[in-house]
Amino acid sequence: MLSVMNLSDPADRLLIDHLRRRSAASVSELMDLLGVTATAVRQRLNRLMADGLIGRQLDRPTDGEATGRGRPSYRYSLTERGRSGAGDNYQDLAQAMWQEIRSIPDPAIRAGAVKRVANRLAERYSPSIDGEDLKQRMLEMTRLLGEREVPVELDESSGLPVLTLLACPYPKLAENDRTVCAMEKVLLSEVLGEAVRLSECRLDGGGCCSFTPSRGDRRREPTESLPKVTLSDDLHATDGTAGAVEIVLAEEAVR
């Protein structure tokens, strides 16, 4: 998802920050803000509207104001998408919450918290993943990650499709913490309806993180009806101490 922090144009950031403060603004206000012509402002607004960050409402004159047949007057404001990206401080919040999870002393409780986070993320992704077979679902997952600006490739040369993340979706969290890798494995297993294994990992010196289906394509069934397989991953805390967290994955039955 595009956010203000990802906008490369300083004028875009200035305009959006202004709308955060003012809630809505006219073209003339934005001309003064940016120091450009009305045409330049409208071109910028049209582009940001096409990106889904800004919307507009007809500016109806108040009692006593003159009306005419000229160009309609609009006021521009942030959309829900624009507001969610503006002033994005999610990274700090995510890091703080993740540190709290990692500080839970009981391994079983900690593992349960990690799995619930993965399941919550899976709930957000699953409605967009409805392919009939594993290959189709992995293609849909590739598209979904791409929309979230995560560079990803799908390699089918070995027979089974291999999903490779060319950049970590959680770089700050995953730098020294394998718990994030375990969470990502649970997330992908839940969304794809097939247990996956981490066949290559940056933390092991690999160039990327690759996820491979454990046993080929399976029948998709509700999670609660599937047999449970407990996978134990050696996880390392950020201070370098070793630990083990068991992650319970739902494995689908063979056709």
Side-chain angles (χ1 to χ4, degrees):
M1 179 180 293
L2 187 64
S3 70
V4 173
M5 297 305 294
N6 289 331
L7 294 175
S8 59
D9 191 329
D12 285 351
R13 294 197 297 270
L14 179 62
L15 187 153
I16 289 179
D17 187 58
H18 180 77
L19 293 180
R20 288 178 61 206
R21 300 167 186 267
R22 300 275 297 174
S23 74
S26 65
V27 168
S28 60
E29 290 177 55
L30 298 176
M31 288 170 57
D32 293 338
L33 174 72
L34 301 176
V36 296
T37 65
T39 298
V41 168
R42 290 192 178 95
Q43 288 175 344
R44 187 175 300 276
L45 289 169
N46 287 337
R47 176 168 50 77
L48 293 172
M49 284 193 294
D51 288 339
L53 299 176
I54 287 179
R56 70 181 185 181
Q57 305 81 36
L58 190 62
D59 189 10
R60 300 184 182 279
T62 59
D63 292 342
E65 288 186 332
T67 59
R69 291 178 171 272
R71 183 193 296 269
S73 178
Y74 294 97
R75 291 186 67 78
Y76 297 83
S77 59
L78 294 179
T79 62
E80 182 178 351
R81 181 179 181 183
R83 287 192 300 272
S84 67
D88 186 341
N89 196 33
Y90 296 148
Q91 187 176 91
D92 289 346
L93 176 62
Q95 289 188 53
M97 294 180 69
W98 193 257
Q99 288 169 1
E100 286 300 306
I101 291 175
R102 293 291 291 126
S103 68
I104 297 173
D106 188 312
I109 296 176
R110 186 166 67 247
V114 171
K115 187 172 189 296
R116 286 193 296 275
V117 171
N119 288 341
R120 184 70 67 178
L121 288 170
E123 289 175 3
R124 295 176 64 89
Y125 292 170
S126 291
S128 300
I129 309 296
D130 59 1
E132 290 297 323
D133 55 37
L134 178 60
K135 176 183 175 181
Q136 184 61 39
R137 296 193 294 273
M138 293 188 82
L139 283 171
E140 292 168 347
M141 192 68 200
T142 300
R143 173 188 53 77
L144 191 63
L145 290 170
E147 291 175 355
R148 285 158 172 75
E149 300 182 355
V150 177
V152 60
E153 290 181 350
L154 186 63
D155 181 9
E156 302 175 60
S157 60
S158 63
L160 285 177
V162 177
L163 190 69
T164 297
L165 305 185
L166 303 177
C168 181
Y170 320 104
K172 292 294 184 182
L173 298 181
E175 283 178 353
N176 299 296
D177 190 351
R178 289 179 182 270
T179 312
V180 176
C181 304
M183 182 195 70
E184 190 76 355
K185 185 161 58 176
V186 175
L187 165 63
L188 290 173
S189 296
E190 291 288 340
V191 172
L192 296 173
E194 166 68 35
V196 301
R197 60 184 177 86
L198 185 58
S199 52
E200 184 177 2
C201 181
R202 289 179 180 272
L203 295 182
D204 293 326
C208 53
C209 292
S210 296
F211 296 88
T212 304
S214 294
R215 303 186 186 180
D217 197 13
R218 307 294 183 84
R219 181 177 66 253
R220 299 196 83 186
E221 299 178 4
T223 299
E224 58 270 16
S225 69
L226 302 176
K228 302 295 182 179
V229 175
T230 300
L231 302 181
S232 180
D233 292 298
D234 289 331
L235 306 176
H236 300 275
T238 53
D239 60 1
T241 59
V245 175
E246 289 188 338
I247 303 296
V248 180
L249 295 179
E251 181 187 30
E252 295 191 338
V254 180
R255 289 186 177 184

